[in-house]
Amino acid sequence: MSKSRYPRSFAHPRYWPTWLGIGAMYIAAWLPWRLKMAIGKGLGLLAWRFAKRRRHITETNIALCFPEKSPEQQHQLVRDTFIANGIGLIETATGWCRDGESLRHRVAYIGEEHMAHAEAKGKGVIIVGVHFSSLDLGGALHALFFSADAVYRPHNNPLFERFMTRARGRNFGVAIDRYDLRGAVRQLKAGRMVWYSPDQDFGRDVSVFAPLFGQQAATIRLTAKLARMTGASVVPMMFHRNPDNATYTIESLPALEGFPSGDEVADATRVNQFIELAIRKHPEQYLWLHRRFKTRPEGEPGVY
């Protein structure tokens, strides 16, 4: 990394831990695959044992969303979730630090024709994704088939933000701040694909309540708003690590018909139905560590 790419201020000692972390990611990205998976599992188990607050959040989410599971099954799913997210850290390093072409043999694409059909319309495509542990690796692998921009949350650490956006820039076209509505609209109107994951809680002001795993979840209205403003197709897409821990599957579904409908709750419900479908395929790979149900309907107590 040359000095021309990074300001001199990043040489300050306060950034040394960040540089060490970036170096560790580069090393991890080039390790043999089985070793990477073993390290990821170890990181996940360490977090499961010691990250008590995140474990509590995960336990709460899984108890809410899978009440049909026994306590033992819920416990196992919590443990498996931490393992999957530990592996996800190594997958993120791989997606950011390796050329995606070197990973082509590890991915299969189901429903590629749905994405191609939506792209051919020339009105832009909103790719509805889900926050799985392998999300960033999924972006690198998806870029082997289609060029897309991505909506993301900027990192608070300016050095890591620079590293992250440069790394993602090799896989995505434009990194769009999640609050930059105009930027997303501009890219869609230019006929671009924009990858957007509407499965997190952004608060009451920008959301409606719609069912998700039997819970009333604050669901952002932006998916329908973007489609209404641009005429873009809305294509749900799933990305999963296969049980062999060595290969991956991308699956695009047909574009949503009659979307948006004009009914915000109905549109949010359709989005959540897809998200639930995707999660149920491999529930341990979802980011249950975040407080998906932190915003509650009026009069309901908090769950965390």
Side-chain angles (χ1 to χ4, degrees):
M1 297 181 183
S2 66
K3 292 181 180 179
S4 62
R5 293 178 59 192
Y6 289 90
R8 289 182 180 273
S9 61
F10 287 156
H12 192 280
R14 69 173 175 272
Y15 290 116
W16 291 356
T18 306
W19 283 116
L20 287 173
I22 291 171
M25 292 185 75
Y26 271 100
I27 293 171
W30 289 90
L31 292 174
W33 200 268
R34 288 186 179 180
L35 179 57
K36 288 198 288 192
M37 295 299 103
I39 291 173
K41 179 178 180 180
L43 291 173
L45 288 173
L46 282 173
W48 173 70
R49 182 169 295 277
F50 295 108
K52 294 183 179 180
R53 180 171 177 271
R54 289 296 170 184
R55 191 172 70 206
H56 169 69
I57 291 169
T58 303
E59 289 169 344
T60 302
N61 284 333
I62 286 173
L64 287 171
C65 294
F66 298 97
E68 73 279 5
K69 291 185 179 294
S70 68
E72 293 76 16
Q73 290 172 324
Q74 291 181 8
H75 175 82
Q76 185 63 49
L77 182 51
V78 170
R79 186 176 185 273
D80 290 345
T81 294
F82 274 87
I83 291 173
N85 279 272
I87 292 173
L89 293 175
I90 305 299
E91 290 169 331
T92 296
T94 303
W96 286 359
C97 304
R98 295 284 299 272
D99 177 15
E101 195 62 44
S102 68
L103 305 171
R104 185 181 287 273
H105 66 289
R106 296 191 180 275
V107 62
Y109 201 135
I110 300 172
E112 183 179 352
E113 69 277 9
H114 301 311
M115 196 70 76
H117 179 70
E119 183 182 39
K121 292 182 179 180
K123 293 186 177 181
V125 180
I126 301 168
I127 303 174
V128 177
V130 184
H131 278 90
F132 286 108
S133 58
S134 50
L135 178 65
D136 276 281
L137 180 59
L141 296 178
H142 183 265
L144 298 172
F145 302 89
F146 297 98
S147 174
D149 305 317
V151 176
Y152 84 113
R153 177 189 178 278
H155 201 278
N156 295 330
N157 181 315
L159 170 57
F160 196 79
E161 165 69 9
R162 177 74 67 92
F163 165 70
M164 180 176 67
T165 53
R166 286 184 182 276
R168 285 175 169 170
R170 290 194 293 270
N171 302 321
F172 295 104
V174 175
I176 305 169
D177 189 305
R178 63 179 178 175
Y179 295 113
D180 185 10
L181 175 61
R182 291 183 179 179
V185 169
R186 182 169 57 250
Q187 295 305 105
L188 289 168
K189 286 189 173 181
R192 295 282 298 167
M193 293 184 178
V194 174
W195 187 325
Y196 173 62
S197 298
D199 59 333
Q200 293 188 309
D201 189 332
F202 289 96
R204 193 180 308 275
D205 292 344
V206 295
S207 305
V208 295
F209 284 96
L212 178 69
F213 285 96
Q215 305 296 315
Q216 286 297 308
T219 306
I220 193 167
R221 300 190 296 262
L222 186 59
T223 312
K225 186 175 183 179
L226 284 173
R228 184 174 62 253
M229 294 175 68
T230 63
S233 298
V234 178
V235 179
M237 191 186 77
M238 295 179 262
F239 180 81
H240 293 116
R241 180 190 316 113
N242 295 325
D244 61 6
N245 279 345
T247 59
Y248 300 83
T249 299
I250 301 172
E251 183 175 359
S252 292
L253 303 184
L256 298 181
E257 295 185 3
F259 187 95
S261 66
D263 183 327
E264 290 183 330
V265 174
D267 290 338
T269 299
R270 290 188 70 185
V271 170
N272 282 352
Q273 286 172 343
F274 159 68
I275 291 170
E276 183 171 335
L277 171 69
I279 293 172
R280 285 188 181 278
K281 285 198 170 188
H282 292 278
E284 78 286 353
Q285 294 183 32
Y286 186 58
L287 190 65
W288 294 112
L289 285 72
H290 78 282
R291 294 183 298 159
R292 180 62 187 91
F293 305 106
K294 66 181 178 182
T295 303
R296 305 304 297 155
E298 291 292 344
E300 290 195 13
V303 297
Y304 300 109

